[in-house]
Amino acid sequence: MARIVVPTAAQHGSAFSARRMGMAAFGREGDPFLNLDHFRMGGPTFPPHPHAGFSAVTYMLPESPGGMRNRDSRGDHSVIPSGGLHWTAAGSGIVHEEVPEHDGLTIEGFQIFVRQPVAQEDAAPVIHHVDPDGVPEVGLNRGFARVLAGRYGDRGAPFDPPSPLALIDVTLVANEPFAWTPEPGITSCAIYLFAGRLATGGREVAAPVLILFEHGQAPVHCTAIEDTRLLVLAGRPLDAPSVSNGPFVLSSQAALDAAVERYRRGAMGALT
C-alpha cells in the first residue's frame, strides 16, 4: 500500500456531519477521485448549487433509515432510497439540490466526487439513477458485495460511468478474506474502511481510514479481523491538470472561468 489517511470531521450547520476525505487525501494514488464524504444528514443543509467538470455521486447506505430527494436543472426529480445510487456527471454544468426525504430523520450515505475526462468538460450533463434492486449483488463466502459502478467478477453495474472505474460496497464477517482484481486499465485503487478492522499488505488497520495503493498494485487482498464494511474505489487515472473553485473542477483557469460565466448567465439552468 502507499498511504493510510484518517478522515477529517466536517460539520455544516446542525443537520449535517461527515467523515471527509478530500483532494489532498486521495492525491495522485486516488486519481480520478476528488472527495468522499461519509455523511449523516438530518435536514436540508445545502441550497441549490452548481457543479461542472466532475461527477457528483450519491449512494445511500442500505442500512440508512431513509433516503434522499434529488432535483436538478435538467428536470430530474428522484428519490434515492436506502441502497440506491444517483450519479450526476455534470460535464459543462448543472444545478442540483439534495435533501433528506423526511425532515428530522437522520440518513446515512456517501457523496463521492469523481473527476471527468477533459474531453467531457463541454459535454451535456448525464444522469444515472439506480434503485436498490438494480444494484448487482455478489455473494461472498459469508458476506456480499454490491456493485455500484464497474464490475466485480461477472456482475456489472447497469450503466457506463464517464471513465473506467469501479465502486464496490463490501460486507465481510470476521476472518473472511476478500480479493478483487480490477479490469485492465484500472490501476488506481483505494479502500475506505468504515466499520471494523482488516489486515492488508502485512498491516492491521481499524476504521475509519482511507487506504491507498500504489498504481498497478493489484489484485487487492485483505482479510476481515472482525465484522467489517468497506468501499472499494478504483479507476483509470486521468492524469489531468485540475483547477478548482468551489463546485467547479476543470482542466485550466480558462475552462474554470468559462464555467463560472455559464452559471452566472443562467446557462446551467434552474430548478423547477
Side-chain angles (χ1 to χ4, degrees), residues 205-221:
V205 290
V209 292
L210 180 70
I211 305 166
L212 295 122
F213 298 88
E214 294 285 359
H215 284 179
Q217 187 178 339
V220 172
H221 289 287

Side-chain angles (χ1 to χ4, degrees), residues 2-225:
R3 291 185 292 122
I4 294 177
V5 179
V6 177
T8 59
Q11 186 82 36
H12 297 275
S14 61
F16 181 94
S17 61
R19 298 172 181 168
R20 177 164 293 167
M21 292 138 279
M23 293 178 69
F26 281 101
R28 180 192 67 85
E29 298 91 348
D31 182 8
F33 296 95
L34 299 171
N35 187 82
L36 168 62
D37 271 4
H38 179 185
F39 68 83
R40 289 173 173 81
M41 189 175 185
T45 300
F46 304 101
H49 55 278
H51 287 304
F54 64 93
S55 295
V57 183
T58 299
Y59 172 52
M60 299 307 304
L61 285 167
E63 59 267 35
S64 175
M68 184 86 82
R69 190 176 300 278
N70 177 91
R71 61 184 183 127
D72 66 40
S73 54
R74 294 287 300 274
D76 182 86
H77 290 256
S78 300
V79 172
I80 314 166
S82 303
L85 177 92
H86 195 89
W87 188 296
T88 300
S92 60
I94 194 169
V95 179
H96 82 157
E97 180 186 45
E98 290 182 330
V99 299
E101 183 182 9
H102 304 290
D103 194 16
L105 180 67
T106 299
I107 59 177
E108 181 179 5
F110 298 142
Q111 176 140 97
I112 308 163
F113 291 167
V114 189
R115 181 70 190 278
Q116 287 184 251
V118 174
Q120 298 178 16
E121 288 184 356
D122 294 327
V126 177
I127 309 299
H128 301 288
H129 182 90
V130 185
D131 284 324
D133 59 3
V135 176
E137 193 168 293
V138 179
L140 305 175
N141 183 31
R142 289 178 294 160
F144 59 92
R146 306 188 79 233
V147 185
L148 309 176
R151 302 191 66 80
Y152 179 76
D154 61 355
R155 302 297 304 278
F159 67 94
D160 292 326
S163 64
L165 55 81
L167 294 173
I168 308 168
D169 176 10
V170 182
T171 299
L172 302 172
V173 299
N175 302 314
E176 183 172 9
F178 174 75
W180 178 72
T181 301
E183 294 188 284
I186 295 181
T187 58
S188 170
C189 186
I191 290 175
Y192 171 48
L193 175 65
F194 59 100
R197 292 185 299 147
L198 59 76
T200 185
R203 298 183 62 175
E204 180 180 319
V205 290
V209 292
L210 180 70
I211 305 166
L212 295 122
F213 298 88
E214 294 285 359
H215 284 179
Q217 187 178 339
V220 172
H221 289 287
C222 62
T223 301
I225 296 170

Side-chain angles (χ1 to χ4, degrees), residues 216-267:
Q217 187 178 339
V220 172
H221 289 287
C222 62
T223 301
I225 296 170
E226 59 191 32
D227 291 355
T228 292
R229 293 290 303 283
L230 59 93
L231 179 72
V232 175
L233 308 98
R236 177 181 295 171
L238 300 179
D239 194 25
S242 293
V243 181
S244 61
N245 178 7
F248 306 126
V249 181
L250 285 303
S251 59
S252 68
Q253 188 63 50
L256 178 65
D257 292 343
V260 172
E261 179 57 27
R262 285 196 299 275
Y263 175 61
R264 285 177 175 168
R265 71 172 189 265

